[in-house]
Amino acid sequence: MDCSHVFEFKVNRLIVVFALFLAFFSLRSDAYGQTDSLVVSADTAVSATEVHAEGAEGHAAAHGEEKFEPTKVIMEHIADSHMWHLWGHTSLPLPVIVYTPNGGLEVFSSGHFHHGEHDYQGVNNYRLVEDKIKVVGADGNVDEAASAAVLDFSITKNVAAMFVAIAVILIVFVSVAAAYRKRVGKAPKGLQSFVEPIIIFVRDDIARPNIGHKYAKFMPYLLTVFFFIWINNILGLIPIFPGGANVTGNIALTFVLSLFTMIVVNINGNKHYWKHIFLPNVPFWLWPLMVVVEVIGIISKPFALMIRLFANITAGHIIVLSLISLIFIFKTLAIAPVSIAFVLFMDVLELLVAFLQAFIFTLLTALFIGMAVEEHH
Amino acid sequence: MELVTPSIGLVFWTSIAFVCLLILLKKFAWKPILAAIQEREQSIEDALNKAELAKTEMARLTSQNEELLKEARAERDLILKEAKALKDNIVNEAKTQAHNEGAKLIEKAKIEIENQKKAALSELKNQVSSLSLDIAERVLRNQLQDKATQQDLVTNLLKDVELN
């Protein structure tokens, strides 16, 4: 556990350095971007709305005239999307599922938007603005009030990538389980021998020392969390389809995972745990303060888990992307070897971080569970 | 800010997908895998324990064997010693018995010899006396064949009587 803290500290320091580095470039590119959009809007001179201006910019990009904007590119890669970009101008359209108070549930392909250039006419008129589904009013403009009421349950890129990861996990572990059934009492072989040490690592180094003798009940949850995060992290590092999505670097996913951790911890909390929160062992006049602090602690622990995983994975993606962006910012191939060398280094580091974050998330979950089920203090 | 705002769609799908994954893995992967690992660890531990037991058993048997051997050796020595004593005893007894028997025989022989000697002596005495009587008779007959010599003898004898 001590070791992991050291690693995390070093990684965080690196991330800070690179974030500063990135901030410097994004400032410069922002300046470029502003002048650029001015030029574009002046050139096209048809721009009534900003949406049209962006559309025009999209056309300009198609003709290879657009100035490179690293921040936009990076943010697009990191954010979720209704299309899965494969290569060049080819994207995989994904199903859009929207719920609107007046239209109910509607399902259609995101291909209808044509990268945001066309509207889709369902019950409402939908438009894709900055990868958000908006409702278009009768006047042809985005109806902000109606758009706020849209609930977007689309199978986005992150959802699809998560499904891929889940499929991988299921295939791997169900086949490993079959191998265990087939080779009872024999030494592990093949994939089994790769997976077994990790499972034993989770059991002996994460669950047992932190939870104690009641660890067996929580093993399925810990193992699932560990491999879910790890496989998603690794798939996120693969730049081509079906990898490349920033699944574990999305706050929604980390929010759900930490929410589950919070639920598991608090459902299994015994009377010592709750006594520690509501009747802490302090003078009675400190109780109002302590109870508030402890209740905040219930939420802040999973909150820290959520932020840690999100920030680490997103930072990794940002660093790799910004290093690649260097080539396009300087518009020279000469920088490419430097860039590639750094990216290689970062990728190897990210491989470590991918494991480390899965490990830390699982470890802290086990620690919190251990604190909740501990018999006496 | 958009980056840190969880979108409802992803939250929804992640929750469903994660719960499904958890249930499926728990049923089809973790349970059999963990059970198999546990079982194997148990069997390995059992085997090690058994080996340990066999080792101690082996050591026990070896020491027991040694003890038995030692005992056997001691017993053999004892038997040998006893046999030797018995043998000595028998030999000694035989010797004394033979000695006694011999001494008895010698004694008997001596007595017999004595008896024989006595008998022989007495017979010899008888023969000697009869012979000497015979001889004396013959000598006397021979000397007393003429009257003159008989006279002489009687006178000599009378002379001797007068001397006494």
Side-chain angles (χ1 to χ4, degrees):
Chain A
M1 190 173 163
D2 295 338
C3 237
S4 65
H5 280 303
V6 173
F7 276 130
E8 206 188 4
F9 175 65
K10 279 189 176 166
V11 171
N12 282 340
R13 221 166 37 171
L14 267 172
I15 288 168
V16 167
V17 170
F18 278 103
L20 287 173
F21 184 67
L22 173 70
F24 171 70
F25 277 109
S26 56
L27 275 178
R28 274 186 55 187
S29 57
D30 266 354
Y32 282 131
Q34 276 172 13
T35 54
D36 181 49
S37 62
L38 278 175
V39 171
V40 169
S41 51
D43 277 353
T44 51
V46 269
S47 53
T49 61
E50 268 186 39
V51 184
H52 278 105
E54 285 226 0
E57 221 175 281
H59 279 301
H63 294 111
E65 290 165 8
E66 194 198 10
K67 280 256 182 172
F68 181 70
E69 288 181 61
T71 315
K72 194 166 156 251
V73 169
I74 291 169
M75 283 308 159
E76 266 172 15
H77 274 89
I78 284 179
D80 207 351
S81 168
H82 284 88
M83 285 154 290
W84 201 331
H85 181 249
L86 299 178
W87 57 81
H89 293 289
T90 315
S91 296
L92 194 69
L94 296 165
V96 173
I97 303 166
V98 284
Y99 177 83
T100 45
N102 58 335
L105 211 58
E106 283 181 83
V107 182
F108 53 93
S109 165
S110 72
H112 291 297
F113 289 124
H114 295 279
H115 298 260
E117 289 161 31
H118 295 292
D119 293 349
Y120 173 77
Q121 186 64 55
V123 176
N124 296 302
N125 206 4
Y126 299 107
R127 182 181 288 167
L128 201 60
V129 181
E130 288 176 337
D131 238 315
K132 289 270 180 300
I133 309 262
K134 302 278 187 194
V135 175
V136 181
D139 57 348
N141 288 335
V142 171
D143 182 351
E144 289 296 345
S147 300
V150 172
L151 292 179
D152 185 1
F153 290 109
S154 304
I155 307 293
T156 55
K157 182 179 158 191
N158 278 347
V159 177
M162 184 176 69
F163 287 165
V164 171
I166 285 173
V168 169
I169 293 170
L170 280 176
I171 289 168
V172 166
F173 288 99
V174 171
S175 72
V176 165
Y180 272 104
R181 256 187 237 109
K182 217 183 296 167
R183 301 167 48 80
V184 177
K186 287 191 191 151
K189 196 178 156 196
L191 196 60
Q192 201 187 354
S193 59
F194 172 72
V195 164
E196 184 175 313
I198 305 169
I199 292 174
I200 290 178
F201 168 76
V202 171
R203 189 190 65 181
D204 292 352
D205 290 313
I206 295 177
R208 253 187 205 154
N210 291 306
I211 301 178
H213 65 279
K214 288 181 225 155
Y215 77 97
K217 186 181 162 193
F218 303 100
M219 278 305 287
Y221 179 70
L222 294 176
L223 284 167
T224 310
V225 163
F226 181 83
F227 285 106
F228 183 70
I229 295 174
W230 193 31
I231 301 286
N232 270 312
N233 283 350
I234 286 175
L235 285 179
L237 290 180
I238 301 170
I240 53 166
F241 182 84
N246 187 24
V247 181
T248 36
N250 191 297
I251 196 94
L253 185 127
T254 61
F255 167 74
V256 169
L257 287 180
S258 47
L259 187 72
F260 280 133
T261 290
M262 191 173 96
I263 291 169
V264 167
V265 166
N266 287 296
I267 278 182
N268 289 289
N270 58 14
K271 61 176 190 286
H272 299 287
Y273 172 74
W274 293 112
K275 185 183 172 290
H276 185 72
I277 289 167
F278 291 111
L279 295 169
N281 197 11
V282 290
F284 70 92
W285 50 269
L286 268 174
W287 278 3
L289 188 67
M290 281 307 288
V291 169
V292 169
V293 168
E294 291 286 353
V295 170
I296 291 172
I298 295 178
I299 297 158
S300 71
K301 279 185 245 168
F303 188 81
L305 283 182
M306 170 176 91
I307 296 297
R308 181 182 295 111
L309 182 58
F310 156 74
N312 272 286
I313 303 305
T314 301
H317 280 246
I318 290 175
I319 293 161
V320 170
L321 288 167
S322 51
L323 285 168
I324 292 287
S325 296
L326 279 183
I327 303 170
F328 301 98
I329 291 165
F330 288 112
K331 286 184 178 152
T332 166
L333 262 181
I335 200 81
V338 181
S339 198
I340 295 299
F342 270 103
V343 168
L344 186 65
F345 170 72
M346 279 314 298
D347 271 343
V348 175
L349 195 67
E350 283 303 306
L351 214 55
L352 174 70
V353 171
F355 178 81
L356 208 60
Q357 288 307 318
F359 167 64
I360 288 169
F361 197 104
T362 318
L363 180 82
L364 289 176
T365 298
L367 195 71
F368 298 153
I369 292 172
M371 275 155 48
V373 300
E374 203 175 20
E375 274 308 329
H376 40 73
H377 298 277
Chain B
M1 203 52 218
E2 191 215 313
L3 210 56
V4 289
T5 316
S7 65
I8 179 126
L10 195 49
V11 168
F12 173 75
W13 287 114
T14 308
S15 309
I16 288 181
F18 186 79
V19 169
C20 289
L21 182 72
L22 182 61
I23 291 167
L24 285 177
L25 281 181
K26 187 177 176 179
K27 191 158 165 35
F28 294 113
W30 304 136
K31 250 187 195 155
I33 291 175
L34 287 172
I37 290 176
Q38 185 93 32
E39 203 174 301
R40 196 171 59 216
E41 276 174 354
Q42 195 62 47
S43 78
I44 289 171
E45 207 176 308
D46 283 353
L48 285 176
N49 282 344
K50 267 181 202 151
E52 191 65 31
L53 267 179
K55 211 167 125 189
T56 51
E57 181 69 22
M58 197 69 194
R60 204 179 60 80
L61 278 178
T62 313
S63 72
Q64 203 177 16
N65 277 355
E66 231 150 71
E67 197 119 316
L68 276 177
L69 209 63
K70 211 187 270 174
E71 251 168 49
R73 227 175 256 150
E75 207 165 333
R76 188 198 63 185
D77 286 352
L78 198 71
I79 288 168
L80 277 178
K81 206 188 267 178
E82 262 173 21
K84 206 174 172 191
L86 199 64
K87 181 200 80 179
D88 287 351
N89 218 3
I90 288 169
V91 167
N92 280 342
E93 215 166 284
K95 256 186 195 163
T96 39
Q97 211 169 348
H99 200 76
N100 288 349
E101 206 74 13
K104 237 186 241 169
L105 278 176
I106 289 168
E107 198 66 24
K108 241 185 195 168
K110 267 185 184 163
I111 292 168
E112 190 68 18
I113 287 166
E114 200 65 26
N115 286 347
Q116 292 290 335
K117 203 170 94 181
K118 273 183 188 159
L121 273 179
S122 62
E123 200 173 333
L124 197 63
K125 263 181 197 162
N126 291 341
Q127 260 178 352
V128 165
S129 62
S130 69
L131 266 179
S132 43
L133 278 179
D134 212 15
I135 290 166
E137 192 181 298
R138 278 186 195 183
V139 167
L140 280 180
R141 236 174 243 179
N142 226 6
Q143 278 183 346
L144 296 175
Q145 268 172 346
D146 59 308
K147 283 271 184 177
T149 16
Q150 283 177 2
Q151 213 56 49
D152 257 356
L153 184 64
V154 176
T155 37
N156 272 344
L157 281 172
L158 288 171
K159 240 189 273 170
D160 277 347
V161 176
E162 279 180 0
L163 269 168
N164 280 344

